[in-house]
């Protein structure tokens, strides 16, 4: 990408430089709800700015078309396809993040329940594990709630996308997205 070309995509919103920060997600990330939610907020920026992204993608594709016509459909079709690919990869990363954290917190709760149920554990360790179960259960519920939020965010993005890309149809490879696409 040349230095004069604007950086488009979710990474452009996440980082003002050409070298975005790579965040390595660990169990610690999942157990720190503020960090987890901040990370999701960054990932959701693409969805939050979808109308602006469609405008920018149209402009970029129009400029490319002027330079060297590609013959791969209209500028609008190319812009829609470009943004659709971005949305899909962003949704996959978010799904992976949320599912990883769901698994981490669920395992933590299971491990602590095993300590409480273990007859060989000391009463002090059982009480400590019981208190941590409560804390982890609250975390688990909040992280599980993010799956519901994700559904709402995706539907809102699909609605905005459909409004601007009326003739676009998603590839047949993703059944879940196709159901969401054709549900309205």
């Amino acid at each position: 990408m040349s230095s004069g070309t604007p950086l488009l995509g979710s990474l452009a919103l996440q980082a003002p430089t050409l070298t975005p920060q790579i965040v390595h997600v660990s169990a610690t990330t999942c157990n720190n709800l503020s960090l987890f939610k901040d990370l999701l907020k960054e990932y959701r920026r693409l969805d939050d700015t979808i109308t602006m992204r469609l405008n920018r993608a149209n402009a970029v594709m129009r400029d490319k078309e002027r330079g060297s016509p590609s013959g791969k459909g209209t500028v609008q079709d190319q812009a829609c396809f470009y943004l659709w690919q971005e949305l899909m990869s962003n949704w996959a990363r978010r799904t992976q993040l949320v599912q990883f954290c769901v698994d981490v917190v669920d395992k933590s709760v299971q491990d602590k329940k095993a300590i409480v149920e273990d007859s060989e554990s000391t009463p002090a360790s059982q009480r400590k594990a019981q208190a941590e179960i409560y804390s982890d259960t609250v975390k688990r519920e909040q992280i599980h709630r993010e799956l519901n939020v994700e559904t709402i965010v995706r539907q809102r993005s699909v609605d905005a996308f459909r409004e601007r890309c009326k003739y676009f149809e998603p590839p047949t490879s993703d059944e879940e997205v196709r159901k969401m696409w054709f549900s309205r």
Side-chain angles (χ1 to χ4, degrees):
M1 182 175 272
S2 69
S3 61
T5 305
L7 181 63
L8 298 176
S10 61
L11 295 178
L13 288 174
Q14 292 177 18
T17 66
L18 292 177
T19 54
Q21 178 183 2
I22 295 174
V23 178
H24 297 283
V25 177
S26 66
T28 305
T29 308
C30 299
N31 287 315
N32 181 342
L33 283 175
S34 295
L35 181 60
F36 172 75
K37 287 188 178 213
D38 284 346
L39 194 55
L40 275 177
K41 180 180 170 187
E42 291 299 316
Y43 272 129
R44 287 180 177 148
R45 277 189 180 178
L46 175 62
D47 291 85
D48 292 342
T49 59
I50 190 161
T51 301
M52 179 194 67
R53 293 301 208 172
L54 282 163
N55 291 340
R56 290 178 71 191
N58 267 331
V60 168
M61 293 303 165
R62 198 170 34 251
D63 289 346
K64 281 184 181 179
E65 186 71 17
R66 283 185 197 136
S68 60
S70 65
K72 297 179 184 175
T74 67
V75 170
Q76 179 77 22
D77 292 342
Q78 291 175 35
C80 290
F81 184 73
Y82 172 79
L83 190 62
W84 184 257
Q85 288 177 316
E86 278 191 78
L87 273 173
M88 292 302 99
S89 65
N90 202 355
W91 288 359
R93 287 191 300 268
R94 282 200 320 250
T95 299
Q96 186 179 19
L97 169 66
V98 172
Q99 194 56 55
F100 174 77
C101 287
V102 162
D103 294 344
V104 164
V105 175
D106 284 349
K107 182 172 178 354
S108 176
V109 169
Q110 288 173 354
D111 292 347
K112 290 180 176 116
K113 282 183 179 179
I115 292 171
V116 169
E117 293 168 1
D118 184 9
S119 60
E120 294 181 18
S121 296
T122 64
S125 65
Q126 287 178 334
R127 281 191 304 275
K128 181 181 178 196
Q130 187 64 41
E132 290 173 351
I133 286 172
Y134 175 75
S135 172
D136 285 354
T137 301
V138 170
K139 278 184 216 168
R140 181 177 71 184
E141 289 171 2
Q142 288 183 337
I143 291 174
H144 276 274
R145 241 181 257 125
E146 289 301 326
L147 293 171
N148 296 333
V149 171
E150 190 65 21
T151 302
I152 294 166
V153 167
R154 286 182 184 192
Q155 189 60 55
R156 191 186 71 198
S157 294
V158 165
D159 290 346
F161 189 90
R162 287 179 75 170
E163 184 179 304
R164 294 291 301 276
C165 298
K166 291 177 174 77
Y167 304 109
F168 178 83
E169 280 198 29
T172 57
S173 59
D174 193 342
E175 194 59 38
E176 178 187 341
V177 172
R178 288 186 66 79
K179 277 193 273 184
M180 190 183 314
W181 183 264
F182 292 112
S183 69
R184 294 191 180 199

